[in-house]
Structure formats: C-alpha cells, structure tokens
Amino acid sequence: MSDPTELTLAEARDAVAAKKISSRELTSAFLKAMEAARPLNAYITETPDRALEMAAASDERIAKGQSRPLEGLPLAIKDLFCTKGVRTTAGSHILHNFVPPYESTVSQNLWNAGAVMLGKTNLDEFAMGSSNETSFFGPVISPWRSKNSNAKLVPGGSSGGSAAATSAGMCLASTATDTGGSIRQPAALTGTVGLKPTYGRCSRWGIVAFASSLDQAGPITRTVRDAAIMLKAMAGVDPKDSTSVDTAVPDYEAGLETGVKGLRIGIPSEYRVDGAPLEIDDLWTRAVGWLKSQGAEIVDISLPHTKYALATYYIVAPAEASSNLARYDGVRYGHRAAGTEDLIDLYEKSRAEGFGAEVRRRILIGTYVLSAGYYDAYYLRAQKVRALIARDFSRAFQACDVLLTPATPGPAFGVGDKTADPVAMYLNDVFTVTVNLAGLPGLSVPAGLTAAGLPLGLQLIGKAFDEATVLRAGRAIELAANFSAKPTAWWRAA
Amino acid sequence: MSVDKDTVRRIAKLARLALEEDRIEPMVEELNGILAWVEQLKEVDVEGVAPMTSVVEQRLKMRDDIVTEGDNAKALMANAPQGQDHFFVVPKVVE
C-alpha cells in the first residue's frame, strides 16, 4: 500500500477489514505523520502508547472475526472531550493539568466502535474563537498556504487542531464541537468536511461546556461519506445528557448516493452579504447550477432575521459561558494561584491567571448582560430574537427540504490578522451561527479554491434530525465539485 | 447603553475575576465596542414573542433518585490543587 495516511476513513475501514493493512501499521503511519507535522501544533497531547495498545487490541479482534464498525481506525479527539486518564485542557491554562477520571460519552461511543485514539487536538481556549489563536498552547498553523507565499495562515476555529490534523493526514478523521461555527468554519478553511448535527443528536456529557444551549459535537473528515460513518458512531441518546434526544440513529451511509433529483433546495437571499469576496458568490452560484442539473428544484427563500444572528449569539453565548465557567475556582481542579490572602482572593487570582484575554472578555460580557437591571434589555431580548431566527427556518422549510449557503465569508486569513478587533473576528461565523441558534444540522463541504489556491466551502442546512438529507445533498455537491486539492506537505521539509 | 470604569470593576467582582487597575480602561473600550455592536437588536420588533430557552421540544427527563456512582472520593480528589484526606483545602474563611 502506498501512503496509508492518504486513505479516507471508508477506504481504511475496507483495507483493514480485507486485512490489506493491520491497525498497528495504519496507526504507526499516522504517529509518524504526527511527529513530522509538529510545526503545525495541531495536537496538544499525543498518545502514541495508548494508540498502539488500542491498535494491538483491534488487530486481535480482527483476527478473531470480532470487528466493530470502526475497528482499528485511528482518530484525533478535540481536547474539549474528557478522556479518562489523558490530560484534557480545553486549550486553557486553567485546565493545563486536568486529568479527567471519566470519559465523555461521544469518545466512549467511538472506542466502543473499535476506534483508536491518536491524541488530543488543539483548539481556541474553551472553544471561544474562530482562528485557533486563543489557545494557551499556541496557535495552530494551517497546512494550507497561498500560492507563492510562505505566510502562516490560520486553520479557523475553534476546532482548528482537528481540522488541520484531518487535512494534513495526521488522523483519518476527528471529533470537534460547534457552538457558533467551530466545526464548519475550520472545515471550510482547510478543505475538509465538517458536520454539526442537530442539537440533541450527540450527547454533550463529558464535553467541557461553553454555551450549553448551543454546543454540539460532530466530526471533521475528508469526505462526506466519512462524516456519515463518524456521525453514526458518535450519535445517540444518553441518560447522562437530559437534552440528548431519543430518536433512532439511521444508517447515514445507506442513502448517500441517491442523488438530489426532486429535492427542493432553498437559497436564502440574506446570505448574499456586502463586501464578501466575489469568489464566494461565484462558487455559490455555480453550486446552484450543479444541483439544478442533477434534477433538484431551486427555491428562493427568505430568512429575514439573519442579520441579527451574530449579535444575538454574542449575548446568549457569553451569558451561558459566564455561568458555565463559574466552576473554575481553583479549589477542586485546575490552576490555583499561589500566595493568596483569602478565599475570594484565591478565586479572583486563580481565574485571572487561568483564563486568557478572550475568555475573560466573554465572562465579563456574560456577567453584565445577566446582571440586575440589564437582563431584560440584553439577555431576554436576545432570547426573543433567537425565537424569531428559529421561526424563520421553520417557515423556510415549509417550501424546501435543505438550504444551500456559503460556509464562511472568506478563505483562511493570516495568523495575527484579526486578533486586534474582536468584532471583526466574530464576523467569521456570520453564515454558521444561525444554525446553532435554531439547533439545526449544518454541513460544510469543500467546493472550490480561490485564485490564491485556498479552499472555500459551501454549507447545507437541514431540518432538525434530517442529517441524512443534508449528507445526501452534500455528497451531490462533493461529486460535482470534484474537490481534490491537498496542501503541499511543506512542514516535512521544515 | 455603555459601561464605565466603575461598572467594569463591579462586573469583574461579580465574576470573581481579578482585573488590574491598568487593564480596566482597555476593558471598558473592548466591552463598549461589543455592546455598541449588539445595540442593533433594539430595532427588532419582539412584541409578543416568547423567549427561546431551548431548541429541544421535549420535557426534561426525570431519572430514578438513586446513587449511580458512589465511593469515588479518591478519583474526585485526584485533581485537587490542595487536598487532605477527602477534603479540599482552602484559605481560612472563618476567624
């Protein structure tokens, strides 16, 4: 076999099942690729010993004919999922030494399906960011570069490590989480596929909480089929998460190739924003043509409250974050400041030292919008606008089956380019954040390159729990776009 | 609406987040930048709209009131910055 790190998850699954390659060989190839790609800083913690142990156990099962759906397939886990006995940092100084005594439900589901853990991937601190630059462990560098340039680009965020690792052949696929676009935006920026499932589809238990009414786990993969395989293994109701929904998990792979004939595709006019690069608009228009020629029906629809989504998000998410992050007190786990005078001083200094600038900013915003006298003006109003945004979608879905939009307002940008202005950074999520507010499934599919050779993604948005249709339409885009570009492995020479 | 230095000191206190004096003025500006931007929500007509608290249309599930994971004090203490036996240790709070 040539280079096993270039296989898709589906190809690797078939190769392992056919005994063309052992899990140990496959896992070793990825561990080697991870070592070579350390300049990208995609992993916070590599777990080679555990990976090889899990691979050996998988090879034994395969020999006995006891294979499970992901038997022996090496994956990367975002460092927001608690992993028993393996440090879990959330990209924060405050959790730099935290070793969970339990396993998140989603990662446990993957191990129960036979998968192998390669390590824990870098992310924006507490998943707050769109460029992976707020991590205490340093920024992730995108495997992609513009043509004729050595400038360092961001991989997007917050799941920048998972996206970079998947794009650069440092894992077969990865887990990620999405609160306002943190799966789909980095996937779009790195030429990978990112799926944010319906709220309630995957358990949130054991995932470090950011904004509990918006957070959802999902996969970043190299193909739409791989996303279908991963979701099937990750999803399911969990008694430990009361918001997880007891709806059967379908075989997402089964209907993948059935095409879009007769499918009604909604095009929301509000997603055509001023100042977005023409390349994005052109790609979107081209994709409408692809789906039309495959027999889909194109429907113009309107989501009138779209322009208020980001502002709504930046009230709701910090409010929930300020509440969730109250637990980091320097007493039970995590960082504790030295030499404090009393208990209040211990709280205040441990938190000030433990949280980075963006997290501190969001805690203060959240505390303010929830405080007496401001609650109604900010938080309650935002919750009402959120209801209107969700209503826009339910009305649109009376006229169509799935929506097609751009995934991001632009391609990857340079490291350091947007860190000075928080609002400019927040605008990255303008096309993705609406989906979290409404709790719907969204899929980012790589569909083209800019003139400078950087990936662009398109987004498909579906009805609640209709990931199957989203994936089917995504597969149609993937086929038509025939996106095959890969980053040149410049880091191997570095 | 905008915040001033006293408001920032007050919310930092509420959030139990130490903020050095020279960080207060820049934080006032950063927060006001964000607050000015979210002001746009004022123009939305929300008359009669019920606030959305959850996207999941289901009642919170109840479980049996039984001990599911007991006797794991040792595991719970493993990450404590300072502990003794099965107690978390903090600076003295009562004179």
Side-chain angles (χ1 to χ4, degrees), chain A residues 50 82-88 99-104 107 117:
Chain A
R50 177 171 298 216
C82 285
T83 41
K84 190 174 179 177
V86 174
R87 182 172 75 140
T88 299
V99 180
Y102 57 91
E103 186 79 27
S104 83
S107 53
M117 176 164 79

Side-chain angles (χ1 to χ4, degrees), chain B residues 19-34:
Chain B
L19 208 53
E20 279 152 20
E21 199 50 38
D22 63 344
R23 280 293 303 141
I24 292 183
E25 186 59 49
M27 189 58 88
V28 167
E29 280 173 38
E30 288 169 27
L31 296 194
N32 280 335
I34 297 168

Side-chain angles (χ1 to χ4, degrees), chain A residues 256-276:
Chain A
L256 213 51
E257 307 288 349
T258 45
V260 291
K261 195 162 193 303
L263 204 65
R264 297 171 305 165
I265 312 277
I267 308 297
S269 51
E270 291 80 4
Y271 281 60
R272 221 170 279 279
V273 296
D274 292 338

Side-chain angles (χ1 to χ4, degrees), chain A residues 174-191:
Chain A
S174 55
T175 68
T177 60
D178 191 314
T179 305
S182 283
I183 291 175
R184 292 158 288 156
Q185 187 257 12
L189 268 45
T190 57

Side-chain angles (χ1 to χ4, degrees), chain A residues 132-418:
Chain A
N132 213 125
E133 290 170 288
T134 71
S135 170
F136 173 69
F137 300 88
V140 174
I141 306 304
S142 175
W144 293 82
R145 284 174 167 178
S146 293
K147 262 182 215 160
N148 309 319
S149 167
N150 287 339
K152 289 176 177 172
L153 300 179
V154 302
S158 68
S159 311
S162 292
T166 306
S167 168
M170 288 184 258
C171 60
L172 281 172
S174 55
T175 68
T177 60
D178 191 314
T179 305
S182 283
I183 291 175
R184 292 158 288 156
Q185 187 257 12
L189 268 45
T190 57
T192 52
V193 173
L195 173 59
K196 184 206 93 76
T198 310
Y199 184 85
R201 181 73 290 183
C202 293
S203 169
R204 290 180 296 110
W205 196 80
I207 299 173
V208 176
F210 162 12
S212 303
S213 80
L214 301 160
D215 296 344
Q216 185 60 204
I220 293 180
T221 58
R222 297 195 205 141
T223 67
V224 174
R225 176 171 298 274
D226 290 358
I229 296 169
M230 283 289 283
L231 181 62
K232 168 92 177 144
M234 292 167 73
V237 69
D238 177 12
K240 291 171 178 163
D241 174 4
S242 63
T243 63
S244 69
V245 174
D246 195 1
T247 305
V249 181
D251 181 357
Y252 296 110
E253 262 190 289
L256 213 51
E257 307 288 349
T258 45
V260 291
K261 195 162 193 303
L263 204 65
R264 297 171 305 165
I265 312 277
I267 308 297
S269 51
E270 291 80 4
Y271 281 60
R272 221 170 279 279
V273 296
D274 292 338
L278 273 177
E279 287 172 315
I280 300 254
D281 219 43
D282 285 350
L283 181 67
W284 192 18
T285 308
R286 230 169 25 239
V288 169
W290 296 335
L291 294 176
K292 217 173 180 172
S293 70
Q294 293 181 45
E297 184 191 333
I298 306 300
V299 187
D300 287 322
I301 55 124
S302 174
L303 301 167
H305 294 90
T306 299
K307 71 172 194 168
Y308 302 111
L310 264 180
T312 302
Y313 176 84
Y314 276 98
I315 292 174
V316 172
E320 294 185 18
S322 73
S323 312
N324 269 326
L325 271 57
R327 73 190 72 184
Y328 302 102
D329 56 8
V331 173
R332 292 158 300 156
Y333 44 79
H335 174 72
R336 172 185 281 202
T340 52
E341 289 164 19
D342 54 31
L343 187 58
I344 299 292
D345 195 38
L346 182 148
Y347 293 151
E348 292 186 341
K349 284 195 179 134
S350 299
R351 289 165 61 78
E353 290 176 10
F355 294 133
E358 180 62 25
V359 174
R360 286 200 297 264
R361 195 151 49 217
R362 294 204 200 183
I363 288 175
L364 292 180
I365 286 277
T367 306
Y368 179 67
V369 301
L370 290 175
S371 66
Y374 301 98
Y375 183 90
D376 287 3
Y378 287 108
Y379 187 63
L380 197 65
R381 175 166 282 265
Q383 283 184 307
K384 289 177 180 176
V385 180
R386 182 177 181 183
L388 293 173
I389 290 165
R391 196 181 69 188
D392 284 354
F393 279 106
S394 48
R395 286 184 178 166
F397 281 125
Q398 289 170 2
C400 62
D401 305 306
V402 65
L403 307 182
L404 175 70
T405 77
T408 60
F413 45 93
V415 171
D417 280 3
K418 294 190 181 179

